[in-house]
């Protein structure tokens, strides 16, 4: 199934991106670029973070949505616009439409995070909840467009959208003219395609690296096949790049201008998100952290100076809590152990005293006293501990063994 619209038959030029930049003046922020000492030491060259998580609506999506809607004919604006999204594109379309005085309707999955639904409404869109997955929501939005005459605003598969996203690339060259590598997360491909058009159009020597989540990586097989290939049931915590099929328009640009597409694991994504929060003091969603994950997983592969684009920061607090726990576990900062002890008064206090000496923070304790595997005077205890890393985990294990506690898991 093609996601292209009838209008999306041409490619995107550097002049298109420059025109989009003029159109966005006073609308989209020129977002900050922050250096990262930790990543610079890791890579062995300067690493800068392009903070689109600090853009209006919390992601780069406002850029493309505004350019697309601003380019509509008067009769098209009068008919209103419609979009489908689980979050970032929804908010971008809502705000862009409001700024341009255009009525907007946004379809969102029924399971979309409540903060994103609320924000989309606050930006001025009528929100309709439909379907459990984005594909169902997308189909509903397209049916609505056909039935009402509203203009469907695709999240990535249109030249105007790509030109708007490409203004990120122009800003990168202005803020870091010595850049050698630009790393960008990829979902449908609009951001990386636009960035590549802008950067390669001015500095063809700069290397463009795209990053996808392993469980939703449609671009590697598509590039190998020479045409967009759908990935069945994409699975990743990074919903911002959870796209099953590349867009036709960005796919052609990516094939021509993007030098490499890499993939990262869920552990790498959560660890990168944790690093952005702890070291850079930046709230970034998993999709936005994907370039950082790529740098951390293979730091020697990137020539510096490097610019990593943090594409968005709209992360649901519940998801953030889970991702941070996952990231801490991936870094060896959580430890779960099961052990047996004599079931008598004070036994648990003695055990906790051992853990206190080695400075392990106890998060949770559970007891099992009725199990056929246990002796008459035995109890099994499962402990969840917060530690300082792998070396500290090993120290805790040794302390328990030295104190005579048989660890069974």
């Amino acid at each position: 199934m093609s996601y292209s619209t009838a209008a999306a038959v041409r490619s995107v030029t550097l002049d298109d991106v420059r025109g989009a930049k003029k159109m966005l003046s006073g609308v989209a922020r020129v977002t900050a670029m922050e250096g990262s000492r930790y990543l610079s030491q890791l890579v062995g060259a300067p690493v800068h973070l392009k903070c689109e998580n600090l853009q209006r609506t919390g992601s780069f999506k406002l850029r493309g949505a505004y350019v697309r809607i601003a380019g509509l004919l008067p009769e098209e604006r009068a008919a209103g616009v419609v979009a489908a999204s689980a979050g970032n594109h929804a908010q971008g379309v809502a705000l862009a439409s409001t700024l341009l005085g255009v009525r907007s309707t946004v379809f969102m999955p029924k399971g979309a995070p409540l903060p994103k639904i609320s924000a989309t409404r606050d930006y001025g869109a009528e929100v309709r909840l439909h379907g459990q997955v984005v594909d169902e929501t997308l189909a509903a939005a397209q049916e609505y467009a056909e039935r009402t005459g509203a203009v469907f605003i695709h999240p990535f598969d249109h030249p105007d959208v790509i030109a708007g996203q490409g203004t990120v690339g122009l800003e990168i060259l202005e803020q870091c003219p010595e850049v050698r590598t630009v790393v960008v997360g990829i979902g449908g491909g609009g951001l990386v395609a636009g960035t590549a058009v802008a950067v390669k159009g001015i500095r063809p020597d700069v290397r463009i690296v795209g990053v996808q989540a392993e469980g939703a990586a449609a671009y590697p097989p598509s590039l190998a096949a020479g045409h967009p290939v759908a990935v069945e049931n994409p699975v990743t915590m990074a919903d911002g790049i959870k796209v099953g099929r590349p867009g036709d328009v960005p796919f052609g640009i990516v094939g021509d201008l993007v030098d490499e597409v890499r993939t990262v694991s869920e552990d790498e994504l959560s660890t990168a998100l944790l690093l952005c929060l702890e070291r850079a003091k930046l709230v970034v969603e998993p999709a936005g952290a994907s370039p950082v994950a790529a740098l951390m997983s293979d730091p020697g592969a990137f020539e510096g100076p490097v610019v990593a684009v943090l594409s968005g920061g709209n992360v649901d607090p519940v998801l953030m809590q889970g991702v941070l726990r996952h990231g801490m576990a991936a870094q060896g900062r959580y430890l779960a152990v099961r052990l047996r002890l004599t079931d008598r008064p004070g036994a648990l206090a003695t055990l906790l005293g051992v853990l206190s000496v080695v400075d392990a923070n106890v998060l949770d304790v559970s007891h099992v006293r009725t199990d056929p595997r246990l002796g008459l005077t035995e109890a099994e205890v499962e402990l969840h501990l917060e530690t300082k890393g792998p070396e500290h985990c090993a120290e805790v294990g040794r302390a328990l063994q030295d104190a005579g506690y048989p660890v069974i898991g």
Side-chain angles (χ1 to χ4, degrees), residues 156-236:
F156 51 81
D157 206 9
H158 193 282
D160 290 348
V161 172
I162 294 171
Q165 321 303 30
T167 58
V168 173
L170 294 180
E171 291 178 16
I172 288 172
L173 293 180
E174 292 169 356
Q175 294 170 309
C176 185
E178 69 278 13
V179 63
R180 298 293 302 167
T181 306
V182 177
V183 191
V184 188
I186 303 182
L191 176 61
V192 73
T195 300
V197 168
V199 173
K200 291 282 192 178
I202 299 171
R203 287 276 310 282
D205 59 304
V206 173
R207 185 172 178 81
I208 307 293
V209 179
V211 184
Q212 291 208 285
E214 285 180 355
Y219 265 91
S222 296
L223 292 169
H227 58 84
V229 174
V231 171
E232 297 296 330
N233 301 317
V235 178
T236 176

Side-chain angles (χ1 to χ4, degrees), residues 259-307:
D259 297 282
E260 180 185 7
V261 176
R262 289 173 166 256
T263 62
V264 291
S265 69
E266 299 298 284
D267 281 354
E268 289 164 345
L269 284 169
S270 56
T271 300
L273 187 148
L274 183 61
L275 178 129
C276 289
L277 186 63
E278 288 189 326
R279 298 297 184 95
K281 314 307 178 192
L282 292 168
V283 176
V284 182
E285 62 191 271
S290 59
V292 174
L295 293 175
M296 295 177 69
S297 65
D298 190 7
F302 300 89
E303 180 184 0
V306 179
V307 173

Side-chain angles (χ1 to χ4, degrees), residues 19-40:
K21 182 181 178 183
K22 293 179 181 178
M23 192 178 294
L24 288 167
S25 177
V27 176
R29 293 172 181 154
V30 176
T31 50
M33 184 175 289
E34 301 287 344
S36 171
R37 181 177 300 177
Y38 176 85
L39 290 174
S40 297

Side-chain angles (χ1 to χ4, degrees), residues 126-177:
E126 176 190 348
V127 175
R128 299 192 180 192
L129 302 180
H130 184 93
Q132 300 299 325
V133 296
V134 174
D135 283 345
E136 296 173 354
T137 308
L138 180 63
Q142 290 173 322
E143 186 277 331
Y144 177 89
E146 293 170 1
R147 176 167 48 84
T148 65
V151 179
F152 179 67
I153 307 299
H154 199 283
F156 51 81
D157 206 9
H158 193 282
D160 290 348
V161 172
I162 294 171
Q165 321 303 30
T167 58
V168 173
L170 294 180
E171 291 178 16
I172 288 172
L173 293 180
E174 292 169 356
Q175 294 170 309
C176 185

Side-chain angles (χ1 to χ4, degrees), residues 41 113 187 260 313 376 398:
Q41 291 175 343
E260 180 185 7
L376 182 63
R398 288 192 299 270

Side-chain angles (χ1 to χ4, degrees), residues 79-85 89-90 93-94 97 102-108 120 124-129 140-141 144-145 147-148 150-153:
V81 300
V82 61
S85 168
H89 180 58
V93 168
S97 299
V102 177
R103 184 179 71 258
S104 62
T105 303
V106 176
F107 285 76
M108 303 182 75
T120 302
E126 176 190 348
V127 175
R128 299 192 180 192
L129 302 180
Y144 177 89
R147 176 167 48 84
T148 65
V151 179
F152 179 67
I153 307 299

